[in-house]
Amino acid sequence: MKILILGPVELHVNGQIHPLGTAKRALVLAALAMDAGRPVSLDLLTSRVWNDDPPAKPRASLHSYAARIRRTIRTGSGQDHVAHQAHAYTLNVRPETVDAHHFQRLVTQARSLSDSGDDPQALDLLRRADGLWRGEPLSGLPGDWAESVRTNLAEKRLAATLTRIDIELHMGHFAELIPDLTSLLEQHPTNEHIASKLVVAHYAGDRQAEALRTYESVRRRLREELGASPGQSLSRIHRLILNQAPVADLLGRRAPSKGAPNTLPSHGELVGRQRELAALQKSPADGAVIALQTISGMAGVGKSLLALHFARRLAPNFPDGLIHIDLGAHSARQRALSPHTALATLLRIFGVSASAISDDTDELIALWRTLLGDRRAVIILDDAVDAEQLRPLLPGTSPSLIIITSRRRLTGLPGVRSLFLDVLPAADAVALFRQLVGEDRTEDREEVFEIVRLCGHLPLAVEIAAGRLASRPSWTTSHLIQRLSREPGRLGEIRDGYREVARAFAMSYRTLTEDEQRAFRLLSLHLGPDFGPHAAAALTGHHLDSAERLLEGLLDAHLLQEPAPDRYRFHDLVGEFARTLTTAEDLVSDGDLAVRRVIDFYVQAVRLATQLTHARRPRLDIPQDSPSWQLPVWSDAQAAKNWLAQERAGLVAAERQARIHGRPRQAALLAHALAGYLDDEGYWGVARQMHGPAADHWRATGDRRAEVYALVDLGAVLSHSGDYEQARACGERALEVASALGDATAEAEVHHLLGVLCWNRGRLEEALSFQNTALALRRRTGDAWLIARSENNLGITQLYLGNHGESERLFRSSLIRFRDVGDTRQESHVLNNLSDLFAEKGDRESASRFLRESLDLIATTGSPSEHAIAQVNLANTMDTTVGLSKILEIYGQALRTFDRLGDRRNASITLYRMGAAYLTVGKFAEAAAHHRRALDLARGIGAAHEEVQAHRGLGVAEHRLGEVDSAAEHLEAAFVLASRIGAPKEAAEAADELKRLRVGTGSTERLRES
């Protein structure tokens, strides 16, 4: 099998070309071929195939394309080369099967042969490599990824061509190279490397005038197009030509000089890191400026391995030496090297005698810079302490490349290019583990993914875990997972006889100041996955400014991460290490006090935030503490909402911590403060776990007003989730307590809740009674916003009762009030309801206008649930006869949101709408299936109105399918239930359909009254 991408994409199996069909299928094959033998995630494949504009269901399309490719290959070869793993595909072929990889391997082999002196064989390989090209790579394929691949491969081809030309120049081939070089320079008119070779070829072929004209032409073009002058290499050649120098001087040295020092230690293979290598490759290395590259990252992330691998890759371009020196910032065996000691070591490596090495550091600096003035060497300064240690070791202007690795972020170095090295992507971590253990013992990829996850994707941890498994034949991946998952933690398991992750972290920890060490320990006690600076200040007990300085210190040491501006988190293993230190070095009371501080901070901060985001929501008065820490300040409600979203996981964890560990009052206060936010954003499962214990706490402590609000909060989330019986019990208990209190505001909230519950259950007359009582109570308070809420709810109930005039009056009054107080979110709700009203009245134009106004507001203010409801409403207005697939796609997106939120009532409504859409286009079986699911959901939660609709829809679909008896049962059930709950329109529609069914079958049976 051969996969060709150096031209039009082609698949050859057993000597035959197999057509790929569409461009998208060719793109998928090319995307897999570029990573042959390695998993390519579905997200990455989606990006490569569709850029930033994927179709609605990209994964389904990818699965289809991959299946076609798999079948094509299997048909020709009899083998299955396309493997589907968790969220990824792998093209299981040797890289050399792909012409682009074969090309690169031939070029690499040629360079190695040339370095060893075998130029003829090297030339043969380079010509074979160039012969693989059939035109423009991925010819005809669209997209950013295809274009970037074309650019990358073209650069590799140019580099290989220049290698060939360089070899031929050294072999004395001058005149025959001039046409090739002239053509190349026309294609790359400002490439000084090509220009230098063409100038040399002219000069060596006794064409000095042409050589000078070429130089002058390039110099002029550089000045006119780039405003630059020729670089050092081209200028040097020009000077030599003017001085009539021998050709050998112009050619210079190509291979490593004899005796050039090489102190690079042996190292393992590098897995992944292609992005980082590409970033390093961009470092200047042409001698024009000092090339200074720093690689920083946490302990065990693979900084030294990356530096060593990169140095070996660059060896042909740096003939004067490959040097590695350990500066010992985190060495367990030695103290960090002083600048004097490091300089003396470097000079001795380059052959300077001991007698020439002075005790004066300044003299050594001068000697070092002189020594490197014209040498091209790669020098790795590994595990640096800081800029002060490094500054004396840096050469002046030199063609050498300096690579620095450090666990600290380095600043204050001239001309520095910084690369931050993070943990491995999951796929690369898996590849590393499998490479070290062997494929036969790592066949269960899900278990391998879990192992590398438990290792935090940290290369050192992955290597150690792989080593433990490889050295124990009786172990399995499942057994290793059990060991990594058990108490007291993973760090004790990620060790071997020579290395230990915890020891690597400890070395970094020891470099911190005492205050930084304490902050490191206490911050690990934070209850969420990440935190902001204010929470950090509360945990550590520091003022905000001081806490931010401590955070900076931990970031510089790569013991803390900053995934987003002013958001901080620990790597899993580093956080576990910090918590073990807290247990070992801090009093239990210190840790408990830190957690208490952050919980108290969250109570007060959420109080302030929700005063902005839910300013009009009735609430308890939360006492204002006077802590030593600072509270955030937000510019507006949106900023406060953003903070709540960022801190949500920490806030939920703080409530649970307080509730479980003896601080039920703080837990209850935090639950109440968060109630509006969690309700709006659809976190009903989380809210339910909070509000029940809160109500129990207030009941136990005798705070009856607080108990009412907790019960209302709990009843609301139970209602959202469709647990109407439990919600009713909450409402009835709340009404009993609120009535005894004589608190009109609290009592109105309870009647409001009970009205919504009755409406959800189809008890419309009862709903009307509760809502009228809530409105009367709210009018006594004079709160326009609360009155508007009641009017809106009453309008909905009147709409369902068929009282369109009263419904419109209530909606319009509510709309005016919400607009007067500036609540655009509630305004969008009323506009949506007006759209429903006019749709019921048959005024589609007005309905559409109100819906568009509502959607415009929801786009900026809506919660996930509101966005999903808006999607359903939008789909309801679309014409199913011309756009069924688009309509179903919109419904499907909304349904997934409702399923995620646990909103069973709206899920039932959406399924009913999907069934109705299928019914419109005559797909009766699909309609029946969706109505049946809608009915099951509605029955399960006691949503009577939704049950009526589902019964009727299912009856109609079954009637069309000829299932007359079952259809009659559902239609009669719809009529009876609609009559009972006071929904005359629904009852009439069910009766009409049942009449049609009876007429069609000749039956005269009458409807039963409810």
Side-chain angles (χ1 to χ4, degrees), residues 833-852:
N833 295 335
L834 279 165
S835 175
D836 286 346
L837 169 64
F838 279 91
E840 282 290 313
K841 292 167 66 174
D843 185 348
R844 306 299 295 179
E845 183 178 346
S846 296
S848 179
R849 186 181 75 254
F850 283 122
L851 180 59
R852 285 196 301 272

Side-chain angles (χ1 to χ4, degrees), residues 357-652:
I357 296 178
S358 168
D359 292 334
D360 188 314
T361 301
D362 289 339
E363 289 186 17
L364 292 186
I365 293 172
L367 179 58
W368 172 239
R369 291 179 177 171
T370 300
L371 184 73
L372 285 187
D374 61 355
R375 279 181 166 84
R376 291 180 61 83
V378 179
I379 300 161
I380 299 175
L381 304 177
D382 201 6
D383 195 20
V385 177
D386 53 26
E388 293 304 312
Q389 183 195 35
L390 287 166
R391 201 169 285 113
L393 310 182
L394 304 182
T397 302
S398 168
S400 289
L401 171 63
I402 310 297
I403 304 175
I404 300 163
T405 75
S406 179
R407 294 190 193 179
R408 302 192 67 86
R409 291 192 290 190
L410 299 171
T411 57
L413 296 173
V416 66
R417 291 173 60 93
S418 298
L419 174 69
F420 166 67
L421 197 61
D422 205 347
V423 297
L424 287 169
D428 288 345
V430 166
L432 174 60
F433 187 88
R434 298 192 76 200
Q435 181 187 83
L436 296 171
V437 176
E439 294 188 2
D440 56 328
R441 297 185 64 193
T442 57
E443 292 180 349
D444 191 325
R445 295 187 67 86
E446 292 296 331
E447 290 189 348
V448 176
F449 267 102
E450 178 63 9
I451 290 170
V452 300
R453 186 194 68 80
L454 290 168
C455 291
H457 302 145
L458 184 67
L460 176 61
V462 172
E463 289 174 13
I464 292 174
R468 295 202 76 191
L469 181 61
S471 64
R472 291 163 173 78
S474 64
W475 285 19
T476 62
T477 50
S478 176
H479 179 70
L480 181 57
I481 289 172
Q482 291 176 11
R483 295 185 70 95
L484 291 171
S485 303
R486 68 188 185 185
E487 295 296 335
R490 291 166 282 179
L491 292 178
E493 290 296 328
I494 306 177
R495 56 176 171 75
D496 58 22
Y498 305 97
R499 297 174 299 176
E500 186 174 340
V501 169
R503 190 182 308 148
F505 295 157
M507 293 175 185
S508 294
Y509 174 74
R510 287 199 293 269
T511 67
L512 301 176
T513 67
E514 187 174 337
D515 281 347
E516 288 172 341
Q517 289 180 347
R518 179 177 178 275
F520 176 70
R521 299 193 302 269
L522 293 180
L523 289 172
S524 71
L525 300 176
H526 187 268
L527 304 163
D530 57 26
F531 50 88
H534 293 84
L539 269 169
T540 59
H542 282 273
H543 189 274
L544 181 62
D545 291 342
S546 176
E548 288 184 327
R549 284 194 293 272
L550 293 171
L551 290 169
E552 283 297 317
L554 296 176
L555 286 171
D556 287 343
H558 289 294
L559 287 170
L560 197 63
Q561 300 172 335
E562 190 176 16
D566 293 328
R567 300 299 303 171
Y568 306 96
R569 71 181 179 201
F570 283 97
H571 180 273
D572 283 356
L573 297 179
V574 175
E576 186 174 310
F577 171 72
R579 289 187 289 275
T580 63
L581 291 179
T582 303
T583 303
E585 300 186 22
D586 294 312
L587 296 173
V588 173
S589 58
D590 290 342
D592 289 345
L593 184 59
V595 173
R596 290 174 70 90
R597 282 195 304 264
V598 80
I599 291 173
D600 293 341
F601 158 74
Y602 275 143
V603 170
Q604 296 301 319
V606 173
R607 173 183 62 80
L608 285 180
T610 53
Q611 283 175 3
L612 286 172
T613 59
H614 297 80
R616 298 178 180 88
R617 182 184 176 93
R619 70 185 74 234
L620 298 172
D621 294 325
I622 298 177
Q624 299 183 31
D625 296 338
S626 299
S628 58
W629 29 258
Q630 294 172 254
L631 292 171
V633 177
W634 301 283
S635 57
D636 54 27
Q638 186 59 47
K641 181 180 175 181
N642 292 342
W643 180 85
L644 288 167
Q646 290 173 332
E647 294 283 355
R648 178 184 58 82
L651 295 171
V652 171

Side-chain angles (χ1 to χ4, degrees), residues 749-802:
E749 287 298 301
V750 180
H751 279 88
H752 179 99
L753 168 66
L754 289 169
V756 171
L757 280 172
C758 287
W759 176 76
N760 282 334
R761 303 180 72 188
R763 298 177 179 177
L764 301 182
E765 294 296 341
E766 290 181 64
L768 208 61
S769 174
F770 280 120
Q771 288 161 357
N772 277 318
T773 303
L775 178 59
L777 289 167
R778 284 170 171 171
R779 280 181 172 151
R780 281 163 45 189
T781 68
D783 189 311
W785 185 82
L786 291 173
I787 293 171
R789 283 182 73 202
S790 285
E791 289 177 332
N792 184 41
N793 277 2
L794 276 165
I796 296 171
T797 307
Q798 295 287 10
L799 170 60
Y800 274 70
L801 286 167

Side-chain angles (χ1 to χ4, degrees), residues 858-990:
I858 287 172
T860 57
T861 64
S863 68
S865 177
E866 289 164 338
H867 280 285
I869 291 170
Q871 286 178 301
V872 173
N873 291 335
L874 176 63
N876 293 344
T877 66
M878 297 172 67
D879 185 355
T880 53
T881 60
V882 295
L884 179 63
S885 60
K886 182 63 177 177
I887 291 171
L888 293 174
E889 181 183 333
I890 295 172
Y891 281 137
Q893 290 172 353
L895 184 61
R896 285 190 291 275
T897 299
F898 295 136
D899 287 343
R900 176 172 57 82
L901 296 175
D903 188 344
R904 291 180 287 172
R905 178 178 171 274
N906 274 309
S908 174
I909 291 172
T910 306
L911 286 165
Y912 164 73
R913 291 293 186 180
M914 294 174 82
Y918 277 118
L919 199 61
T920 303
V921 296
K923 295 189 174 184
F924 304 127
E926 292 88 343
H930 283 78
H931 285 315
R932 200 170 286 114
R933 288 175 61 195
L935 180 60
D936 289 342
L937 273 177
R939 278 173 169 167
I941 60 177
H945 189 269
E946 285 68 40
E947 188 177 343
V948 168
Q949 289 185 319
H951 269 304
R952 181 172 56 79
L954 183 54
V956 172
E958 289 181 339
H959 182 194
R960 302 299 185 273
L961 289 168
E963 300 172 7
V964 177
D965 291 342
S966 179
E969 289 179 11
H970 287 296
L971 290 169
E972 186 164 314
F975 173 78
V976 170
L977 185 54
S979 300
R980 189 172 74 238
I981 66 174
K985 181 176 180 292
E986 293 287 351
E989 289 178 351

